[in-house]
Amino acid sequence: MFLIMVVTIFYLPIVLPLLLPGVEVNPWDVAQSLIVTMLIPLLLGMLIKSHSPDVADHWAPVMQKVSSLSILVLLVVGLGMNLSNILGFIGTRGIGAIVLLIVGSLMIGLLFGGRDPGVRSAMGLSTGQSQRRGRAAGRHPELLRDQHPAVCAGGGGC
């Protein structure tokens, strides 16, 4: 997971403009958003786990609940804010492309997750779920001068 995140921080700002032609993206703003929202919390968690395993084990159940609640809130708010874009996306092949990307990522994670079922399922879920990072640019409207349906429909905040 850590490797996927670090690679994404460098990969996404380069590839995003190539995937969305005609959309102007500031690579540093995308990378900065990924660093602040993903890398720093992960590093802090790893630091606490390595120096105070008891504290980390104590807080893990609470943080898992906070994380699940946060994802639920983001999903509901993202869908609510982008409902018109999502409805406009119906009838295009974009929804199929998004589903194919997520399912393909899930399968890749499952295939390369090893033999341990716990690791394999975690790897599958994390790679499938990690595809939402492409919408990080949507958190900062100034990154996108044009609203692209592929970004907006995924709950990116356009």
Side-chain angles (χ1 to χ4, degrees), residues 77-153:
V77 170
L79 288 173
M81 289 177 60
N82 293 296
L83 190 58
S84 62
N85 291 327
I86 294 169
L87 293 176
F89 211 49
I90 295 175
T92 67
R93 296 183 180 173
I95 293 175
I98 291 170
V99 169
L100 183 64
L101 176 67
I102 292 171
V103 169
S105 298
L106 173 70
M107 291 297 145
I108 289 170
L110 289 172
L111 285 172
F112 291 104
R115 293 187 177 183
D116 181 12
V119 173
R120 188 171 54 243
S121 64
M123 187 71 154
L125 289 173
S126 65
T127 54
Q129 174 266 348
S130 70
Q131 298 312 314
R132 68 184 173 80
R133 291 186 193 126
R135 298 184 310 268
R139 292 186 193 122
H140 300 282
E142 70 274 7
L143 299 178
L144 302 175
R145 302 215 176 194
D146 185 24
Q147 292 182 359
H148 195 281
V151 175
C152 297

Side-chain angles (χ1 to χ4, degrees), residues 9-158:
I9 290 171
F10 293 103
Y11 175 78
L12 188 63
I14 295 168
V15 174
L16 192 60
L18 301 174
L19 294 176
L20 303 173
V23 176
E24 192 172 317
V25 177
N26 183 339
W28 171 244
D29 288 341
V30 173
Q32 186 178 14
S33 173
L34 294 172
I35 290 167
V36 169
T37 60
M38 295 186 328
L39 188 62
I40 291 174
L42 179 67
L43 290 174
L44 287 173
M46 290 173 66
L47 183 69
I48 292 170
K49 180 73 174 175
S50 68
H51 290 285
S52 301
D54 294 336
V55 172
D57 291 340
H58 173 75
W59 283 97
V62 175
M63 291 294 115
Q64 288 172 351
K65 289 177 184 170
V66 168
S67 175
S68 296
L69 182 62
S70 298
I71 290 172
L72 180 63
V73 168
L74 286 172
L75 177 67
V76 170
V77 170
L79 288 173
M81 289 177 60
N82 293 296
L83 190 58
S84 62
N85 291 327
I86 294 169
L87 293 176
F89 211 49
I90 295 175
T92 67
R93 296 183 180 173
I95 293 175
I98 291 170
V99 169
L100 183 64
L101 176 67
I102 292 171
V103 169
S105 298
L106 173 70
M107 291 297 145
I108 289 170
L110 289 172
L111 285 172
F112 291 104
R115 293 187 177 183
D116 181 12
V119 173
R120 188 171 54 243
S121 64
M123 187 71 154
L125 289 173
S126 65
T127 54
Q129 174 266 348
S130 70
Q131 298 312 314
R132 68 184 173 80
R133 291 186 193 126
R135 298 184 310 268
R139 292 186 193 122
H140 300 282
E142 70 274 7
L143 299 178
L144 302 175
R145 302 215 176 194
D146 185 24
Q147 292 182 359
H148 195 281
V151 175
C152 297
C158 293

